[in-house]
Amino acid sequence: MSTATAPTLINIDNVSKQYGSGLIAVRDMSLKIEQGQFVSFLGPSGCGKSTALRMIAGLTSVSTGQIRFGGEDHGPQDIGFVFQEPTLMPWATVFNNVYLPLRLAGVSRKKAEPRVEDALAQVGLSKFAKSYPRELSGGMKMRVSIARALVTRSRLLLMDEPFAALDEMTRFKLNNDVLRLWQEYNLTVIFVTHSVYESVYLSNRVVVMAARPGRVVSDIEIQAPYPRAENFRNTPEYANYCAVVSDALNETLDTGDINH
Amino acid sequence: MTTETPVLNSDQQRHARVDRAMRIVLPVLTIVVALGIWEGLVRYYQVPKYLIPAPSVIAETLVKDGPSLMGSMWFTIKLTLLSLFFATVGGIILGSIFALSRTVEMCFFPFAVILQVTPVVAIAPLILIYVRDTFSALLICAWIVAFFPILSSTVIGLRSADHNLRDLFTLYRATPLQRLRYLLAPSALPYFMAALKIAGGLALIGAVVAEFVAGTAGQSTGLASRILESSFRNEIPRMFAALFLVSVVGIAIFLATSWLSRAVLGNWHESEVRREN
C-alpha cells in the first residue's frame, strides 16, 4: 500500500517519556510513518510500545521531543483507537457503542444511523445491533470495538495489542478482517503486538523495540505483496521474515538496563 | 463472521416460568405455614392475647382499627419517602461534587461521617428541640440515617468508570457534561442502586426511631407512636398490627427498590442479569 512517495503522516521526533516515578518508558524515539502504511510496534513487555501509541493518540503527554501530524490536520477526532480490551460500555447496545464517537461529535442519531450500520456490516455484526456486550463472544466484542474506531471514518487507526486475549482461530480471522479494512478504507494502521508472526503477517513495516528503557532497535520493511491470505503463513518468504524479526527481537533481550 | 443468536427452547422457557412462579409461591407458602403454626400453638396452649395474640386476632384488630392505623401508616410512609427522596437528591448532588473535587471532599466528608456514626437516637432530642415543626424534625432524623449510603456509593460509583473508557472519551473530546451523562452516571448506577436499597430500609428505620423519640412527647401520629401508645395501654394486638404495617411498608420499599434496580440494570449488570443454564 505504501509507496516511496507517500507523504509523511506522523513524524515522531526524538520523543521521550519519563513518568513521575522516574521510569523511562520511551527514550529518544524517532520515526516517520507514511500515509497508508501498516506499521507494527513489536517488543517485549515494558518496552514502551503502548506508551508510544498513547503518545501518538494524545492520551499520554510527551516528556521531551515532538509528535507532528503532516498533511491534513489530524486532531484527536480523526484517530480511531482500539484498546487491548474491547472497552465497550456494558450498559449500551452494540449500536450505541458504535454510535458513541459520532454522538460525542454532535451527530444526530438519524444522521449517524447509516454510518453505524455500515461500520457494523464491515465487521459482520449487522444482526447484533440491539445486543448488549455481555451477549457477545470475546471476538465479537473486539469487532464492535473495531467498528467504533471505523465509524468516524478516520484514516489513522491505532491498535494496542487488540487480539492478545483471543484464541488463535479468532485472531487469524480478525487479522484478515483488519487487513481487508486497511485496504478498503485506505487506512494508516499502527498496530502494537508482542507476536512476531502477527506483525509479519499484517505489516509492511515492523518497528522492533527494546525494554528498559523503551527504544527503537530495528525498523524492518516487510516487502511481501498484498493482499495476503492465510496461505501466506505457509510460504518461505513469511518464514524468512519471521526469522529476521525474531533475531532482531532476540537481540533486544540482552540490551536492557534493569536499573531504569 | 456470523454467530448464532441464542434462543430458548420450550423446555427452557417452561423452566424459566416455573422458576419465576416458585420465587413467589415458596415464600408465600412458608409464611402461611408459619402463621398457621403460630395460630395453632396460641389456640392449643390458650395463650392470652395480652401476651401473644393469634394472627387472627391481629387481623381482627387491623380491620377494627384500620382507619386510624392507616392514617398513621400514611404518616410513616410520607416521612420515609420524603426522607429517602431528600437523601437521594442530596447524596447525588454532594456525591457528584465530591467526585469532581478531592478538595471539597476532604473538607466536607468528615461532616458526613460524623452524621453517619452518631446514633440518630442521640441526635433526635436535640433536633426536636431546635426544629419546632415535629414532622420536619422527624424528616431530618430519617434523612440523616438514609443519606450516607447514597453519598458514599455515589462517590465510589462516579470514580469507578473504566479507565480505558475514560481515555476513549478524552480521545473523542467529550465535554464534561457528555462525560457525566454517557460514562460516569451509568458507571455509578450499580453502586447507586445498591445504596438505594439500603437507604430505603434505613429511611424507614430512621423514621421509626425518630417517631419513638418524638412519640414519647405525644407529638406525632406515625406507626411507631401507635406502637408506643399501645404498649402503654397494654393493647398488644394493636402493637402487633402496627408492627405488621411497619413491616409491610419496609417490604414495599424493598420490592420497589429491587424492581427499580432490575429495571435499570437488568439488561447489562451482573448483579441483575438472570443467566440461563
Side-chain angles (χ1 to χ4, degrees):
Chain A
M1 290 277 284
S2 103
T3 66
T5 54
T8 299
L9 180 66
I10 306 166
N11 190 355
I12 303 168
D13 187 11
N14 214 26
V15 163
S16 296
K17 175 66 190 180
Q18 184 168 17
Y19 287 106
S21 62
L23 177 86
I24 301 172
V26 175
R27 188 159 75 186
D28 301 334
M29 184 178 192
S30 288
L31 276 180
K32 281 182 180 170
I33 292 166
E34 294 167 9
Q35 241 167 37
Q37 275 191 326
F38 197 123
V39 183
S40 283
F41 287 176
L42 175 75
S45 295
C47 73
K49 50 192 191 296
S50 290
T51 305
L53 198 74
R54 290 176 60 84
M55 286 194 289
I56 293 168
L59 293 173
T60 298
S61 62
V62 171
S63 298
T64 58
Q66 237 184 349
I67 297 176
R68 288 191 302 272
F69 290 91
E72 301 160 40
D73 174 28
H74 277 268
Q77 202 74 48
D78 300 308
I79 294 174
F81 200 105
V82 180
F83 294 88
Q84 190 167 353
E85 303 293 327
T87 313
L88 303 178
M89 299 179 294
W91 54 84
T93 59
V94 165
F95 182 96
N96 282 335
N97 267 287
V98 177
Y99 171 42
L100 178 74
L102 299 176
R103 173 180 262 168
L104 296 179
V107 181
S108 72
R109 196 178 179 85
K110 199 175 174 187
K111 268 191 181 174
E113 213 167 285
R115 283 167 72 175
V116 174
E117 281 167 3
D118 179 54
L120 283 174
Q122 286 294 339
V123 296
L125 288 178
S126 296
K127 288 180 183 171
F128 294 89
K130 289 179 182 168
S131 301
Y132 283 85
R134 68 175 180 84
E135 297 167 309
L136 307 179
S137 67
M140 291 162 84
K141 285 179 192 165
M142 198 45 86
R143 284 175 202 278
V144 178
S145 187
I146 293 170
R148 182 180 58 196
L150 292 175
V151 78
T152 54
R153 294 183 183 160
S154 58
R155 291 295 176 82
L156 177 59
L157 182 60
L158 307 180
M159 306 181 87
D160 187 5
E161 295 191 58
F163 311 139
L166 301 177
D167 64 90
E168 195 144 295
M169 288 274 286
T170 309
R171 196 159 67 232
F172 282 6
K173 274 185 186 174
L174 286 170
N175 282 166
N176 292 330
D177 289 344
V178 169
L179 276 182
R180 178 178 54 77
L181 293 168
W182 168 60
Q183 290 181 300
E184 273 181 30
Y185 284 84
N186 194 24
L187 299 169
T188 305
V189 178
I190 305 179
F191 190 95
V192 167
T193 179
H194 54 241
S195 164
V196 170
Y197 308 104
E198 192 171 50
S199 68
V200 171
Y201 184 74
L202 292 173
S203 329
N204 47 25
R205 186 178 172 193
V206 178
V207 174
V208 182
M209 295 179 73
R212 291 180 289 271
R215 63 205 184 279
V216 175
V217 289
S218 291
D219 194 342
I220 300 162
E221 199 176 343
I222 311 292
Q223 288 178 326
Y226 292 95
R228 293 174 190 169
E230 280 303 322
N231 56 10
F232 173 57
R233 296 185 198 272
N234 303 322
T235 61
E237 192 181 19
Y238 176 72
N240 285 340
Y241 276 122
C242 286
V244 170
V245 173
S246 287
D247 285 345
L249 192 62
N250 280 333
E251 281 172 29
T252 69
L253 299 177
D254 306 321
T255 57
D257 176 0
I258 293 295
N259 295 322
H260 279 277
Chain B
M1 296 256 264
T2 55
T3 306
E4 289 158 27
T5 315
V7 177
L8 292 181
N9 61 35
S10 57
D11 264 5
Q12 287 172 316
Q13 282 174 342
R14 198 173 56 246
H15 186 76
R17 271 201 304 274
V18 170
D19 186 56
R20 270 199 301 276
M22 292 308 264
R23 279 169 194 273
I24 298 167
V25 170
L26 278 181
V28 168
L29 205 66
T30 310
I31 289 170
V32 167
V33 169
L35 288 175
I37 292 171
W38 178 358
E39 181 84 32
L41 287 174
V42 167
R43 282 173 188 246
Y44 181 78
Y45 290 107
Q46 293 181 324
V47 181
K49 68 179 182 182
Y50 57 82
L51 282 182
I52 303 174
S56 56
V57 175
I58 298 169
E60 265 173 44
T61 313
L62 267 175
V63 173
K64 194 177 70 188
D65 297 343
S68 79
L69 283 175
M70 285 300 153
S72 298
M73 185 160 97
W74 173 238
F75 182 91
T76 302
I77 290 173
K78 221 167 39 177
L79 191 60
T80 304
L81 293 186
L82 270 176
S83 64
L84 184 61
F85 171 76
F86 287 122
T88 305
V89 172
I92 289 175
I93 292 173
L94 205 60
S96 304
I97 295 169
F98 283 6
L100 292 173
S101 167
R102 286 264 181 201
T103 315
V104 176
E105 186 194 359
M106 280 190 284
C107 290
F108 292 102
F109 202 73
F111 289 98
V113 175
I114 290 167
L115 277 181
Q116 167 68 12
V117 298
T118 311
V120 72
V121 188
I123 314 173
L126 278 175
I127 295 171
L128 283 159
I129 290 170
Y130 295 133
V131 182
R132 272 177 175 269
D133 176 47
T134 309
F135 186 80
S136 304
L138 297 179
L139 189 60
I140 292 170
C141 292
W143 174 84
I144 287 172
V145 182
F147 169 70
F148 190 78
I150 304 259
L151 171 72
S152 58
S153 297
T154 303
V155 175
I156 295 168
L158 288 172
R159 287 192 179 141
S160 70
D162 179 87
H163 67 278
N164 280 336
L165 276 172
R166 285 174 188 268
D167 282 346
L168 197 74
F169 274 68
T170 304
L171 194 70
Y172 292 119
R173 293 175 179 163
T175 62
L177 200 64
Q178 285 177 324
R179 193 178 281 266
L180 180 69
R181 184 174 169 192
Y182 299 122
L183 175 64
L184 302 183
S187 299
L189 261 182
Y191 296 85
F192 173 75
M193 292 315 302
L196 193 66
K197 279 186 195 172
I198 296 166
L202 286 179
L204 180 61
I205 291 170
V208 167
V209 170
E211 270 186 59
F212 272 137
V213 177
T216 52
Q219 295 277 316
S220 67
T221 55
L223 282 172
S225 302
R226 300 304 297 274
I227 292 173
L228 267 186
E229 176 199 307
S230 306
S231 80
F232 294 151
R233 294 179 183 176
N234 214 19
E235 290 173 339
I236 309 302
R238 194 192 283 179
M239 275 182 84
F240 271 91
L243 188 64
F244 169 76
L245 292 177
V246 171
S247 300
V248 168
V249 174
I251 290 167
I253 291 172
F254 175 79
L255 289 177
T257 49
S258 298
W259 173 83
L260 189 65
S261 178
R262 240 191 330 275
V264 171
L265 306 175
N267 279 330
W268 61 277
H269 196 260
E270 286 295 327
S271 64
E272 294 291 355
V273 168
R274 282 192 188 149
R275 297 210 169 276
E276 303 292 342
N277 294 318

